[in-house]
Amino acid sequence: MNFKYVIVGAGLAGITTAERIATELNEKVLIIEKRNHIGGNCYDYYNEDGILIHKYGPHIFHTNSKEVWEYLSRFTKWYHYQHRVLTYIDGQLIPMPITTETINKLYNLNLSNFQVEEFLSNQALKIDEIKNSEDVVLSKAGTDIYEKFFKNYTKKQWDVYPDELDKSVISRIPVRYNRDTRYFTNKYQGMPKFGYTKMCEKILDNPNIHILLNTDYKDVINDINYEKLIYTGQVDSFFDFKHGKLKYRALRFEFETLNSESYQEASVINYPNDYDFTRITEFKKLTGQESSKTTIVREYPTWDGEPYYPYPTNDCAEQYKLYKKECDTLSNVIFIGRLAEYKYYDMDAVVKRALDVFKTQIGRQDK
Ligand code: FAD
Ligand code: UDP
């Protein structure tokens, strides 16, 4: 087989790159995907009860990048959804992230935004250098908020407490001195109107793009003549684990369909301190679908299974650097995406990265 471009993985990194090559360079491209479907971790499908569910956990699209929003909008219309999360603390459902509403509900107060800022700065610990995820919360909101909202959720999610995790992890969750209870404040937010899989199908709808599903690239790559390989799988696996296995955190998903129209008050409810799962998502509340039934998913973090999250500790970052050095020596392979760059990317960042890589490392050179 001859393909100038071969892409490993049909997630957002792989399919965005494929689309750019197929459209802009008018070149044939082969995508090799080991799963039986496209879309990577944002894959969704209708379950046997007719509810659109996300097989690999809830995915909400949000970005500040006009370029990414406009790019994806060529392939989907949007259901203009703004994500809100509640957290179950001491028997109450409290808005998350930490805002004026959170503080007032948690402590049964009626403070203004300004008073909440004052309240939190009185609780905050003075920490000269923010070294880890524990410091992030303690320095903004103090011990009680840290212990109620973050400490045990993080232990469940990552199997270590926040003091062992890179500060970027909890920095994903803001503290706001206002009443904006949205989980994200990005300029562009929404859910693909007909689902992620449909959006991905549209991205791939180009006669130059060929897809081989159910195939591990290692089983076929030696039979293909190619000039450039774009690799979006696990970086450690690419190098046959020569620097050891990188840690990835996995999840076990427990889906349940209920014979009722609604299950919970918000699309996502976090459970930092109770149960073994971290959160429950009710899909209809994300997608706006109407049905007399509803499907929920509980997420149980685990070490076994699919590699969902790169592990954000210093040791892992150091180990990844050894692989990155190897990547940099290969001029005919480009590594993109959450698994290949061992980076806690959101969807928009993966698409942005693929668009940038195309512009700087593929399009210009090879045109
Ligand atoms: P992936 O989607 O993982 O795609 C890589 C593909 O490569 C996979 O399909 C895999 O099967 C394939 N592959 C791997 N190895 C091989 C091989 N050897 N041969 C052939 N194929 C191979 N982002 C958001 O923006 N918003 C959210 O709300 C959000 N929620 C998330 C919730 C969960 C539980 C998780 C795990 C992630 C979430 N994300 C979210 C992140 C989002 O999933 C990723 O940013 C994005 O999907 C990564 O795309 P990717 O192409 O890099 O990787
Ligand atoms: N987090 C927490 N409590 C929460 C929500 C998040 O401690 O109620 C921490 C936890 O460490 C988590 C990180 O913040 O892994 C990032 O949260 P986010 O919701 O962005 O996680 P994701 O959706 O990527 O799983």
Side-chain angles (χ1 to χ4, degrees), residues 18-75:
E19 186 281 330
R20 293 288 71 206
I21 292 169
T23 309
E24 290 294 313
L25 306 182
N26 195 19
E27 293 276 3
K28 271 197 326 172
V29 48
L30 174 68
I31 305 181
I32 307 169
E33 167 56 59
K34 69 178 178 187
R35 289 174 174 164
N36 64 2
H37 60 75
I38 60 162
N41 285 345
C42 67
Y43 171 74
D44 55 14
Y45 69 101
Y46 287 89
N47 67 10
E48 56 193 19
D49 294 295
I51 309 291
L52 184 63
I53 64 168
H54 299 179
K55 179 165 182 178
Y56 306 100
H59 279 68
I60 299 104
F61 188 80
H62 56 102
T63 189
N64 285 325
S65 166
K66 190 169 167 34
E67 181 191 9
V68 169
W69 180 255
E70 286 180 349
Y71 175 74
L72 292 178
S73 300
R74 289 161 48 189
F75 308 104

Side-chain angles (χ1 to χ4, degrees), residues 18 139 174 189 242 244 249 298:
S139 67
Q189 307 192 30
K242 68 193 281 192
R249 194 75 171 135
R298 297 181 183 87

Side-chain angles (χ1 to χ4, degrees), residues 158 160 164-166 235-236 243-249 303 309-324 341-343:
W158 300 102
V160 290
E164 291 191 46
L165 292 179
D166 190 84
V235 63
D236 53 354
H243 299 297
K245 282 194 167 183
L246 284 167
K247 273 188 180 177
Y248 292 88
R249 194 75 171 135
W303 286 111
Y309 292 91
Y311 205 65
T313 61
N314 287 338
D315 287 352
C316 293
E318 288 305 313
Q319 193 185 357
Y320 168 67
K321 277 186 196 159
L322 301 174
Y323 283 111
K324 176 74 171 89
E341 296 179 84
Y342 201 59
K343 209 163 170 189

Side-chain angles (χ1 to χ4, degrees), residues 69-130:
W69 180 255
E70 286 180 349
Y71 175 74
L72 292 178
S73 300
R74 289 161 48 189
F75 308 104
T76 187
K77 293 190 167 133
W78 298 95
Y79 168 58
H80 289 285
Y81 169 78
Q82 299 270 333
H83 192 43
R84 284 188 171 75
V85 172
L86 296 174
T87 293
Y88 184 78
I89 310 263
D90 300 336
Q92 287 201 92
L93 289 174
I94 312 231
M96 180 71 175
I98 311 300
T99 62
T100 298
E101 300 291 340
T102 312
I103 300 302
N104 282 338
K105 180 108 196 244
L106 182 68
Y107 299 114
N108 196 20
L109 298 168
N110 192 16
L111 304 180
S112 67
N113 293 338
F114 176 71
Q115 287 169 318
V116 164
E117 185 168 359
E118 217 173 36
F119 176 91
L120 286 176
S121 63
N122 288 335
Q123 306 289 314
L125 307 192
K126 189 167 164 7
I127 297 174
D128 291 331
E129 192 196 345
I130 307 296

Side-chain angles (χ1 to χ4, degrees), residues 61 168 179 305:
F61 188 80
S168 60
R179 295 179 193 275

